[in-house]
Amino acid sequence: MTDNTPQIVAFCCSNCASAAANVAEGMKMTMPGNVKIIQVPCTGRIEVLHLLKPFEEGADGVYVAGCQEDSCQYVTGITKAAKRVAHVKKILEELEIEPDRIEVFNLSAGKGQEFVEMAHEMTGKIKGLGPVLP
Amino acid sequence: MIVAEPKPIKEILEMVRDLKKILIVGCKGCVTVCNVGGSKEVAILASTLRIAAKKNGKEIEIGEETLERQCDPEYIEEIKDIINDYDAVISIACGVGPQFLSERYPATRVFPGVNTRFMGGAIEHGIWSERCAGCGTCVVHYFGGLCPIARCSKSLLNGPCGGSNNGKCEISGDVDCIWDIIVRKMMEQGRLDELLEFKPPKSWMTARDGGPRTMTREELVK
Ligand code: SF4
Ligand code: SF4
């Protein structure tokens, strides 16, 4: 965290979240600069290790933005991702790090505004928690 | 396969509290198949320990290795040139792994990173179930190919106890009564009468009860 600006990594599904990002861009809505987006073909490919690595490298928060559970292009991608996020929450808890530092969000391709809002929401929440390091 | 589960991270952190250079060693055998001790899990544990160290403001160096197997000396040998660079090893193989490592590298501290649970299989992805208790003299053919030693809570060999209830064992509604399954299967195969044949008490000499076991096959010994 620099100057109380949390570093956040967002894993975004290319079918919905990234499409939503394009919509947001078209609406001239800007993403907060502290959120680094990693685009993935399907959130089902994101493994526990991928979710831990940003924390290891100094990130203050991580989130996964994927499809609605009933409209995942690859059927169960986002459901799998949600389970892995839940698992990482448990790991963080065991390390006495706030589990709220990692979240999963569902959205659909047209929801540009929501896409930008979730980045702000996460930034606000992590700001409230402060940096991971004491 | 031998089925294991990760040890609580807190327990592992406590084990290695004062250590700075740790080698995590995985195994490509059973524990890779049951998603607890392969190269992926080595990386996850390494990352978790690094995050913990960062959080606690500690310097830590973690090495990651995954051996073909930890139950054969030739693979244990593969880390001989690097093991002395570390203060300790965490093995995430089954309980055999930390022991083979301890025996081969007597000066090194070795910690178990998983809890070894049982011999069994995956009944579906992410769910494992016990099948064999390693009794040393297999008798499943008397019981429709199913093992009452590993799967009956009382290891009964002459039919169910009085606690069998709607297919469930009296110890818990979550546990199938294997005797219910055995009887149904033998009925389906028209072999129920075979179960009437009395099974005398089994000798447990070939099981763990006979003391620690070794096995020699002369035709293989060099
Ligand atoms: S009878 Fe013995 S060897 Fe056979 S499955 Fe049961 S415990 Fe294992
Ligand atoms: S209820 Fe069935 S499984 Fe349980 S102890 Fe009795 S016979 Fe064995």
Side-chain angles (χ1 to χ4, degrees), chain A residues 45 47-49 52-53 55-58 87 90-97 132-134, chain B residues 7-11 13 40 43-52 54-57 64:
Chain A
R45 180 62 184 89
E47 300 200 24
V48 169
L49 184 62
L52 285 173
K53 277 288 170 188
F55 288 110
E56 188 185 324
E57 298 297 328
H87 183 71
K90 275 193 210 144
I91 294 179
L92 293 180
E93 251 171 15
E94 282 202 80
L95 297 179
E96 289 169 8
I97 294 172
V132 179
L133 302 181
Chain B
K7 267 194 182 293
I9 292 156
K10 282 217 163 105
E11 195 181 332
L13 286 174
K40 265 190 194 180
I44 289 170
L45 180 57
S47 183
T48 305
L49 295 185
R50 287 188 199 111
I51 295 169
K54 255 193 184 163
K55 178 176 180 276
N56 299 324
E64 303 176 31

Side-chain angles (χ1 to χ4, degrees), chain B residues 130-176:
Chain B
E130 185 167 17
R131 286 292 180 273
C132 174
C135 78
T137 34
C138 195
V139 290
V140 296
H141 54 299
Y142 294 129
F143 308 105
L146 303 164
C147 176
I149 294 166
R151 299 173 69 187
C152 163
S153 306
K154 296 169 188 152
S155 297
L156 298 177
L157 297 180
N158 286 288
C161 74
S164 182
N165 186 6
N166 288 324
K168 295 296 173 192
C169 172
E170 68 174 346
I171 67 155
S172 157
D174 297 331
V175 176
D176 288 331

